[in-house]
Amino acid sequence: MWMVVYVAQSKEVAEKIRTLLQQAGLPVKIHSVSQNEHDQFGCYEILVPEAELSQAHDIIIEETL
């Protein structure tokens, strides 16, 4: 099952987090929460498999500190 690990406030931030997690070898999906999927400034959920959730969370925390 895919779980939300982060909610980004823009597509640019979502793509940066996707790249960060993929570089660590994690599978990642991005899901637009806004009405218009082409909206650059809507909210985007970053999802990872449930088994990878803790590792993904740790990677995001390390990168933002």
Side-chain angles (χ1 to χ4, degrees), residues 22-58:
Q22 286 178 332
Q23 287 175 343
L26 301 178
V28 182
K29 290 183 183 180
I30 294 180
H31 176 255
S32 174
V33 183
S34 63
Q35 299 264 340
N36 181 358
E37 293 202 16
H38 302 290
D39 184 4
Q40 292 289 320
F41 302 103
C43 290
Y44 293 84
E45 294 176 335
I46 292 91
L47 300 102
V48 296
E50 186 174 5
E52 312 292 345
L53 187 63
S54 180
Q55 182 182 359
H57 190 250
D58 289 345

Side-chain angles (χ1 to χ4, degrees), residues 8-18 40-42 44:
Q9 298 296 317
S10 71
K11 189 170 187 174
E12 179 182 352
V13 172
E15 292 293 343
K16 286 181 182 179
I17 292 172
R18 179 197 339 226
Q40 292 289 320
F41 302 103
Y44 293 84

